[in-house]
Amino acid sequence: MKKKQSWWLLLLIIAVGIIIALGILSDEPAEEANSSTNEVSLLENTDQIAHIKVFADQNVELEKNNEEWGLVNNEQPVDTEKLDSFISSMKDMKGEETDVKKRNVNLDFPRVTVAFTDADGEEQQISIGQLDKESNRYYVAQREQDKIYLVDSSVIQTIPLKNQDVLQTGLLSISADTLTELKIANGTEEIALSNEPVYSEEESLAHISGWYMHEPYQGVYSVAYSKMEEMLLGMEQIQQIGTASADADHGLDNAEFTITFSSAEKSETLLVGNPAADNQYYVKLKNEDTVYTVPTDVLDPYSYKAFDMIDHFVDIVALEVLSELKITAPDQSYHFTFDHEEQDSEIKTTVHHQGETANTEDFRSIYQSLAGLRFDEPTEDVSNEEAEVTIEYTIQTQQDEISHQVAFIPISDEAYAVKTNDTPAEFSIKKEKVTEVLEQLKETYGE
């Protein structure tokens, strides 16, 4: 019995030895078994570094002059934020030492190497290998230390692989937060947008974007929040992919598509020409000679029709500022008045119908439907025709009262033209939408 146990014990020892040997001799990375738990700096005396060269598919050479970094032999302005991020990441770069063979992690012939040189010519060099199994750290070889480290991928991703990566590629100098006016000419419409207030504070409470369309319509309409956000965020995305060859047909001499961005200080007009290769367009700034290409999708936010940019609400007024509401229908009229009182930072509203106190929650449900009425499509003016349904809102401002009148004028068996205040009717709405609200009113407040 003892001999049998000894035999199995001997086999177990041999098996464990083979496993250990295989682990040592294996060509696979073994960072978990052999890496240090402490991160160390990969570069020394980083404040003395005066020259950096990235060896990649396109070499990038940077030099410090009077404490400012810039590209060597390149006069184009650099993106200081990107450049500072790269320099800072390299100076603070730390890694966890690991025991792997260079050939197993693409470090025998690395595709990216970065050389750092100080004023005395002393050089330090790192080379970038492949990602680890978790895809969140790169294998990095440090030549002077003759060691391989695992470095966080966010640090390595700041390394510029071509000059373009640290150049200012944005075509606009006006930023979204300073933009005050936007004009778009797309060949069929001339659209003018502005964030200059056109209504009182009380009237504009429900206008979320804060931007208004002044052209091509005769009235002024609130721009839809989602569309305005696309255009504002899109300004940063208007970046050059490259410059265009001089002999290409750019289509910019008589460009029909133009976008003018204006701030309080200046304006910049982007001319959009013909399509270029690789799903791009030729563009340039007005009064400048250089022609660039930009991806087609960065122009999409500015390519909507005017009708698709605006809120389609017939007239939306916040209940909290409403003092009176009159609705006239073919078979009945309704007259509401409102008292508002602030309680615990909230506005409490009391509703009166025909002089009698009404249930506020019942009215809110109907008012949501009324305020949510949206027109469906553009129409021709029919202002001389008689309205079938009218709505009059009276808004209480800090100074006085303001009235909004909405008239629904029949233009067919299925649709009304919508006329607001003194503006000619420019849009239509399906009758069934208006009828549904009138039926809610009649059910709750009908005689």
Side-chain angles (χ1 to χ4, degrees), residues 6 8 35 57 63 78 128 131 169 199 248 259 314 317 423 428:
S6 299
W8 281 109
S35 60
D57 291 339
E63 194 167 57
V78 296
I128 315 302
L131 281 165
T169 56
Y199 295 108
I259 312 168
V314 167
V317 177
T423 302
S428 67

Side-chain angles (χ1 to χ4, degrees), residues 2 11 34 45 53 79 98 121 170 213 238 244 250 273 276 335 342 362 366 370 377 392 399 415:
K2 288 184 179 180
L11 285 177
N34 299 287
N45 302 319
K53 189 166 185 179
D79 187 319
T98 184
M213 181 178 291
I238 302 177
H250 306 139
H335 183 200
E342 185 172 349
D362 287 346
I366 296 173
L370 181 67
E377 58 186 9
E392 182 177 352
Q399 288 77 30

Side-chain angles (χ1 to χ4, degrees), residues 297-312:
D297 58 3
V298 306
L299 301 172
D300 288 347
Y302 313 96
S303 302
Y304 291 106
K305 295 179 180 178
F307 182 77
D308 296 326
M309 288 185 179
I310 58 175
D311 281 326
H312 291 175

Side-chain angles (χ1 to χ4, degrees), residues 106-173:
N106 288 345
L107 278 169
D108 46 352
F109 298 103
R111 296 186 61 182
V112 178
T113 294
V114 188
F116 305 86
T117 309
D118 63 21
D120 297 326
E122 294 292 329
E123 186 178 90
Q124 302 176 76
Q125 183 173 294
I126 63 168
S127 296
I128 315 302
Q130 69 186 41
L131 281 165
D132 68 353
K133 291 178 179 178
E134 288 73 29
S135 297
N136 55 20
R137 293 189 295 178
Y138 278 92
Y139 291 97
V140 177
Q142 215 291 359
R143 186 184 65 180
E144 286 65 42
Q145 299 176 19
D146 193 23
K147 293 179 180 178
I148 296 176
Y149 298 91
L150 280 165
V151 178
D152 192 276
S153 60
S154 63
V155 174
I156 302 306
Q157 287 164 2
T158 66
I159 299 174
L161 304 181
K162 54 185 183 299
N163 284 347
Q164 200 79 6
D165 292 341
V166 290
L167 289 175
Q168 288 184 10
T169 56
L171 295 181
L172 304 174
S173 62

Side-chain angles (χ1 to χ4, degrees), residues 175-365:
S175 61
D177 57 357
T178 62
L179 188 71
T180 58
E181 191 176 76
L182 185 62
K183 291 185 177 181
I184 303 169
N186 56 27
T188 57
E189 295 178 305
E190 292 189 2
I191 301 168
L193 312 177
S194 170
N195 63 2
E196 184 71 23
V198 294
Y199 295 108
S200 68
E201 180 181 347
E202 291 79 7
E203 289 174 282
S204 58
L205 277 177
H207 301 162
I208 301 175
S209 74
W211 281 79
Y212 297 93
M213 181 178 291
H214 296 261
E215 294 179 13
Y217 302 115
Q218 295 187 56
V220 177
Y221 299 94
S222 173
V223 181
Y225 177 81
S226 60
K227 295 297 189 293
M228 199 64 229
E229 280 296 288
E230 281 188 61
M231 289 184 276
L232 293 175
L233 294 173
M235 291 176 65
E236 291 187 3
Q237 305 304 316
I238 302 177
Q239 298 187 8
Q240 54 172 304
I241 291 181
T243 54
S245 60
D247 57 352
D249 181 13
H250 306 139
L252 291 164
D253 292 337
N254 298 294
E256 293 187 347
F257 187 7
T258 65
I259 312 168
T260 300
F261 303 85
S262 299
S263 67
E265 292 78 24
K266 60 181 177 180
S267 294
E268 294 176 316
T269 298
L270 185 72
L271 308 181
V272 182
N274 293 333
D278 301 323
N279 202 28
Q280 301 170 34
Y281 268 86
Y282 293 113
V283 300
K284 76 169 185 174
L285 290 174
K286 187 177 181 180
N287 300 324
E288 293 190 7
D289 296 328
T290 307
V291 176
Y292 303 98
T293 57
V294 299
T296 300
D297 58 3
V298 306
L299 301 172
D300 288 347
Y302 313 96
S303 302
Y304 291 106
K305 295 179 180 178
F307 182 77
D308 296 326
M309 288 185 179
I310 58 175
D311 281 326
H312 291 175
F313 295 110
V314 167
D315 194 11
I316 183 167
V317 177
L319 177 59
E320 288 73 19
V321 298
L322 197 60
S323 63
E324 190 174 8
L325 173 65
K326 295 179 181 179
I327 302 171
T328 303
D331 57 349
Q332 190 169 347
S333 296
Y334 306 89
H335 183 200
F336 298 91
T337 58
F338 309 90
D339 295 323
H340 307 288
E341 181 182 1
E342 185 172 349
Q343 294 183 355
D344 299 327
S345 300
E346 294 185 0
I347 302 297
K348 180 181 179 181
T349 298
T350 302
V351 181
H352 307 279
H353 175 243
Q354 313 290 58
E356 300 290 332
T357 302
N359 184 290
T360 300
E361 294 308 312
D362 287 346
F363 177 81
R364 282 185 184 276
S365 177

Side-chain angles (χ1 to χ4, degrees), residues 40-52 64 67-69 83-95 114 116-118 124 126 142 145 151 155-156 158-159:
V40 298
S41 297
L42 272 66
L43 301 177
E44 298 178 351
N45 302 319
T46 54
D47 290 338
Q48 305 304 313
I49 295 173
H51 186 275
I52 301 174
K64 185 164 69 171
E67 299 304 317
E68 290 189 4
W69 284 90
L83 194 54
D84 289 347
S85 176
F86 165 58
I87 301 296
S88 177
S89 294
M90 294 299 99
K91 287 184 175 183
D92 298 337
M93 180 169 45
K94 295 181 183 297
V114 188
F116 305 86
T117 309
D118 63 21
Q124 302 176 76
I126 63 168
Q142 215 291 359
Q145 299 176 19
V151 178
V155 174
I156 302 306
T158 66
I159 299 174

